[in-house]
Each structure stands twice: as C-alpha cells, then as structure tokens.
Amino acid sequence: MHRGRRNRGRRANRLGKRDAPNAAAARLRTARCGARADLLGDAAPPQPSGARPMRLTRFFLPLLKEQPAEAQIASHRLMLRAGMIRQAASGIYTWLPLGYRVLRNVERIVHEEQAAMGANAVLMPTIQPADLWRESGRYDAYGPEMLRIRDRHDRDMLYGPTNEELITDVFRGAVSSYRDLPRILYHIQWKFRDEVRPRFGVMRGREFLMKDGYSFDIDSAAAIHSYNRHLVAYLRTFERMGLKAVPMKADTGPIGGDHSHEFLILADTGESEVFLDSAVLDLALGDRAIDFDSRDGLQAIVDQWTKPYARTDETHDAALFESAVPEARRTVRRGIEVGHIFYFGTKYSEPLGARVAGPDGAQVAVEMGSYGIGVSRLVGAAIEANHDDKGVIWPEALTPFHAGIVNLKQGDAEADAACQSIYDRLTAAGLEPLYDDRDERAGTKFAAMDLIGLPWRVTVGPRGLKSGVVELTSRRTGESQELTPEAAVAKVAAIYGR
RNA sequence: CGGGGCGUAGCGCAGUCUGGUAGCGCGUCGGUUUUGGGAACCGAAAGCCGCAGGUUCGAAUCCUGCCGCCCCGACCA
C-alpha cells in the first residue's frame, strides 16, 4: 500500500515533466475536447483557449450524502454518491456529467496512445447481423451471454459482445495483398454481454465501453511485432492515466504460446488473485522515447516488463513462483483486469477467408491479434485504486476538472472577485476549473470537493484575502499552502504542464 | 441457473407478524439566526406503499401471479 502511494506520486511528477515540452499536443487535445463539448451542449460558453470551465450552480451534480443501499464496493458507492452515474437497469448505467467527463478522458488518452502506436480508429456498429457469426461458428457457441435481437423482417441480429467477425469482414473485402500489411484497426464502442449477475457498478456491467483493436500481418514474426506494439502502447496508456497496470501472462487456450497478457490494476477489491515479483512494480516507461517501428527496440521493452513473474490465479505456478522470485519480492495481491492482448493467428481469418497474396503469389490467411481495454471499467478501477473514506482522489490525467475553487463566503464582494479572477486565469491557461459558487456553508463545499475528488482545491475566503492569500490544497496528501492568487494559479498550471 | 433477501417521499429506513386508510432521519422549499470542515430553530411541500388479481365492510399489512433490484454460489471478466 505504502509503496503504491509513493509510486503514484513519483509517476505524477514524471508525467508532468513529460507533458510540459509537449505543449502543442496538449493544445491539440484541449481543442479537440472543447470542440466536442460544444457538440454535446455543455453549458459554459466556449473559451478562447478551448477549455470548458464550470460553475457548480450550473452543473448537474446530484450528490448523495448517504450510502446507496445497493452498492457494495468503494468505486460503485462513490460513483453513485459523487453523481457520476445512475443505474438504468441491472448492469446498465447512465453517465452523468461528472462521470462522463472522466469517461471521455479515458477515451481521449486511449485514442492518443493508439494513434502514437500506429493504429487507425474506426467505428463499428453495436448491432450486427447474425449471419456473420454463423460463418465464424460463434453464433451458437456464444450462448445466452449474447443479446439476440430480431428486426422487423425477422432477420436475426445481435448486440455485439465483441467485433472480430465484423472487422475481419471489413478487412477481407478490402485487402488482398501482403503489400497492404500490416494494419491495425480499432474502435471504442459500447458492447453488451448479458451477464448472469452484473455487479460492482461499471466494473462489471452488462453494457460497457470497450476499446477493441485488431492487427493483421503477413506472418507470425510480423504479428508478434504488432503484439509488442500493443503491449508497449498499453503500458504507456495506463501509465499516462496515473495507474499501475501490470501485464500478466494469460492463458492462451488451444492456441498456445506466450502471446497473451492481461493488464491488471492492483486493488484489494480485484476479482483475481495475482502473484507477482514486486520488481515489476518499480518499472516505468517515464518519458522514454519509443520507436514503435523498431522490432528490436520494442522487444527489449516487452522482455523487460514480461520477464518478472506476474500471473493471475488462472496461470499461477506455485513451484515456479517460489523458484523464480526471491522470497522478499514475492507479492500476492488482488487485481482488476483492465486490458487484454491476444495473438491468435488465423483463428478468424481462416474460417472467414481473410487471405492475401504473399510475395510468392500464394494465398495465405492473415495472422491476427486482438487487443482490448475496458474503458468504462477503467473509471471504476481508477477509483478502486485511488480513494479514501471521504471520497475519490483523481489522478491528474483523469480528473473531471483540473481544480476546484471553493468560495467560503459567497456574496462577499472580495471573495467573489478573487474567485472569478482565479477561475478566469485557470481557464485562460487552458485548464478546466470547477467553481463552487453555491451559497453553501464551508463544510458543505469541502465535503463535496472531497467526495468528487478533484486533485487540487483553491480555497478563497475573506480571512485569507485580508493578508492577500488563498489556500491551495492537495486532495491526495491533504497538504495546504498559502499563496497569492496569482501564485496559486501558476502552481496549478505548472502541475498540469501549462 | 441454484440459494437467500428486499421493493413504502429524491436518498436511507420504520410500519407488514397481530388489517382500520402512512411515519422517521437526511435532502428539498419558505422564514429567522448563523457562516473557515456536511449548522440551529420555526413552518411547508412531496407517496397509485413495485404491478395485477383475489379475500374482507375495510389491504402497505393476508392469499395468488407477475415484474424489478440486491447478496452468496456457479459462470464471466
């Protein structure tokens, strides 16, 4: 636990440094986010910087003071209490504004890292024709987890639990030569699996948002390079989110080989027991430059991360664990699976006839892999790994707002003006503050901020303003410092590399 | 799918055993006093008591059926 905390702190620093020189990318991200918020009709007017600040008096944030009866684990409880989600049916949720902002952050980071690794974003439909699944043989194999639908013409349809068939269909119709390889296609789309017993809120819902990607290569060596691209891209993705996700050897089933890994975030409420060499927890990519086109370079990183023992109970080998890991580093914890990568060869390309002509003119089935990230699940997992008894503690990369501004005396001319000024300056810096401008007591505002977990809070009151200072408080450590309003803004901007 | 539990105001719950027309706390609204960590007092609004049928003079309460939600297990991730 203590180690985890320290690591998170160090990682936040590293990421801050890495982001700083990357101002162009940061602006691009902000701009894209802003443009999208416009379409989605957020209340605040667009700012020149593209940032979307918010006043609490205009924000739909239904907080619950009491514990919802149906929620058992911290993330589910806190997501309901913090007004992030609301259940529509068992395992199906509406994402309210606060939760939706976090979900969008997760999505954004996934998109950016997929692009950096060379994947192409697409968007496949949620509803799929059953015939495609009959072709792969999975229509009958999938069982009652698959939601089957019939349209008005009595055609069998289904709400997709995954997309291998569709993507292979797209691919086989468009690609016929080895010259068109490799390709990596992915999308982020809602899936539905009719779980017998949904639970733990978005951690195990029936409807869930998932990034699933598919690689197409001419031979096994090329396919393993694609696999390695994903493994490293996933390391970057989770690290950027401020999360410690460990790749663990996964079961490859009948296909065999070493090329399947699950990424697990360590948390006491995790669904799997995990066994690992604590050395893997000290690894970090940091701001290392990565050439995704270098086979040897990627393989070296993959080796470094997959060499230490790390397995779930499914693949755990007690004898090997004891012989390979020094006793002091043997760690047994629980983990939440947030990613899964899999090289499966010609399992789908063969039956679906996805073939290309090789250099020698012979038709060969393409070598494929599939790669998933549980986008909506990550929101819950991030909370499981980052909360205390007062509420959520967002990593900077995922937080729905960069900082909260608490006006301790709403209506006081000086306090109001100081808050407005801080709000404007943070916004001008490209950040998105949440200003609690409600006419509420201090305690109520503090409790709300603690619950929703913004990592930084600027507290403004007449008492401090008399001596020209406001208070900047870290949600994670609880440490406060008194600064001039200008210095507080500068400090928050620096934390976010702005 | 097997076992268990629960549906009563926005949230958390009592009332059901023993039938007599609905209550508490929080929240909400109005007022007064407060105001640097979920304030105090006064007043108010808000319920097809999950749905349908039955028994009864009378049903939140008893009976039958259905629906929904939660927990344990199996499953899945």
Side-chain angles (χ1 to χ4, degrees):
Chain A
M1 203 69 200
H2 294 304
R3 162 179 278 117
R5 228 158 251 263
R6 275 204 312 277
N7 281 344
R8 277 196 294 274
R10 284 209 302 272
R11 207 162 42 243
N13 285 338
R14 266 195 310 275
L15 290 175
K17 269 184 247 149
R18 191 184 74 189
D19 280 348
N22 201 1
R27 273 197 304 275
L28 212 126
R29 284 200 292 276
T30 310
R32 183 162 52 197
C33 190
R36 205 157 144 207
D38 270 346
L39 293 175
L40 294 162
D42 271 5
Q47 301 295 315
S49 63
R52 310 291 309 212
M54 186 57 69
R55 297 166 178 283
L56 207 35
T57 50
R58 287 155 61 182
F59 193 58
F60 184 74
L61 186 69
L63 301 178
L64 300 178
K65 200 168 186 174
E66 293 179 70
Q67 300 292 355
E70 75 266 25
Q72 303 301 311
I73 63 168
S75 63
H76 190 192
R77 255 190 339 252
L78 290 172
M79 288 182 79
L80 291 167
R81 286 195 55 210
M84 295 178 64
I85 54 169
R86 193 186 163 102
Q87 179 167 297
S90 180
I92 301 177
Y93 295 86
T94 294
W95 290 77
L96 303 179
L98 191 77
Y100 187 38
R101 290 179 77 105
V102 178
L103 188 67
R104 270 169 22 197
N105 285 340
V106 173
E107 258 188 282
R108 197 193 70 240
I109 292 171
V110 171
H111 274 305
E112 287 170 3
E113 293 302 326
Q114 288 293 294
M117 169 266 273
N120 304 157
V122 299
L123 185 58
M124 289 180 267
T126 54
I127 308 288
Q128 307 180 21
D131 282 348
L132 210 44
W133 285 67
R134 293 200 173 97
E135 215 178 321
S136 72
R138 287 210 294 180
Y139 190 68
D140 295 322
Y142 219 92
E145 274 212 340
M146 186 153 74
L147 182 63
R148 293 147 207 268
I149 314 169
R150 190 159 288 167
D151 73 9
R152 68 194 299 165
H153 301 294
D154 254 3
R155 283 185 289 245
D156 289 324
M157 312 292 283
L158 57 96
Y159 195 114
T162 176
N163 288 68
E164 279 86 358
E165 282 80 0
L166 258 177
I167 197 72
T168 308
D169 182 50
V170 168
F171 188 85
R172 71 182 172 183
V175 173
S176 51
S177 163
Y178 76 98
R179 294 174 195 275
D180 294 324
L181 300 180
R183 287 291 183 274
I184 296 171
L185 303 176
Y186 79 98
H187 72 161
I188 297 178
Q189 178 62 290
W190 292 94
K191 310 281 192 296
F192 193 91
R193 290 181 195 169
D194 199 357
E195 300 276 349
V196 189
R197 181 149 100 85
R199 61 188 119 170
F200 308 145
V202 301
M203 296 264 288
R204 188 166 164 200
R206 291 193 291 173
E207 187 182 55
F208 55 98
L209 189 61
M210 179 177 171
K211 171 261 165 183
D212 49 318
Y214 306 89
S215 64
F216 304 88
D217 286 281
I218 187 63
D219 58 29
S220 165
I224 285 164
H225 182 212
S226 289
Y227 181 89
N228 287 345
R229 274 182 198 272
H230 281 88
L231 196 147
V232 175
Y234 277 28
L235 292 176
R236 271 175 59 120
T237 301
F238 296 126
E239 194 169 304
R240 249 190 80 185
M241 291 178 188
L243 302 172
K244 195 71 167 175
V246 181
M248 304 200 184
K249 182 183 169 66
D251 200 350
T252 50
I255 291 163
D258 290 333
H259 293 93
S260 181
H261 285 88
E262 297 176 336
F263 288 76
L264 286 101
I265 288 176
L266 303 185
D268 296 339
T269 45
E271 69 273 355
S272 317
E273 190 168 27
V274 300
F275 304 82
L276 51 95
D277 179 341
S278 62
V280 76
L281 297 173
D282 296 327
L283 295 173
L285 290 169
D287 47 13
R288 183 190 312 193
I290 292 166
D291 177 2
F292 280 100
D293 291 328
S294 162
R295 286 196 184 186
D296 293 344
L298 279 194
Q299 190 62 56
I301 297 172
V302 168
D303 289 346
Q304 188 188 6
W305 282 80
T306 56
K307 199 177 152 203
Y309 189 97
R311 297 190 184 193
T312 68
D313 42 18
E314 280 177 7
T315 52
H316 180 53
D317 178 338
L320 181 61
F321 187 48
E322 281 170 31
S323 66
V325 186
E327 192 168 358
R329 299 211 310 252
R330 279 177 220 153
T331 305
V332 181
R333 296 277 304 272
R334 300 198 69 83
I336 301 166
E337 185 187 340
V338 292
H340 195 163
I341 59 177
F342 206 109
Y343 162 49
F344 51 66
T346 59
K347 180 175 175 185
Y348 297 95
S349 56
E350 199 70 74
L352 289 166
R355 295 192 172 75
V356 298
D360 57 358
Q363 291 285 313
V364 293
V366 295
E367 295 278 331
M368 292 177 60
S370 78
Y371 313 89
I373 292 179
V375 173
S376 50
R377 166 174 258 230
L378 264 166
V379 177
I383 294 173
E384 287 300 326
N386 297 283
H387 70 273
D388 62 18
D389 54 344
K390 288 185 287 194
V392 182
I393 305 173
W394 288 114
E396 271 88 353
L398 299 182
T399 186
F401 293 96
H402 295 104
I405 301 169
V406 170
N407 187 344
L408 292 175
K409 191 158 178 132
Q410 205 69 42
D412 176 274
E414 276 188 52
D416 289 0
C419 286
Q420 185 63 48
S421 161
I422 291 166
Y423 181 80
D424 291 342
R425 286 165 195 251
L426 286 172
T427 305
L431 297 174
E432 300 176 315
L434 177 64
Y435 173 20
D436 190 345
D437 59 338
R438 296 175 300 168
D439 188 14
E440 289 287 350
R441 300 166 65 86
T444 302
K445 294 191 176 189
F446 287 141
M449 281 293 169
D450 288 344
L451 176 59
I452 68 176
L454 307 188
W456 299 95
R457 186 185 80 208
V458 183
T459 309
V460 180
R463 190 192 294 173
L465 288 176
K466 273 204 181 66
S467 38
V469 297
V470 298
E471 196 178 75
L472 179 64
T473 307
S474 159
R475 174 66 178 86
R476 190 174 292 281
T477 67
E479 286 166 20
S480 282
Q481 43 188 315
E482 297 201 324
L483 300 166
T484 63
E486 294 75 18
V489 168
K491 173 120 197 202
V492 173
I495 287 163
Y496 288 102
R498 304 292 166 85

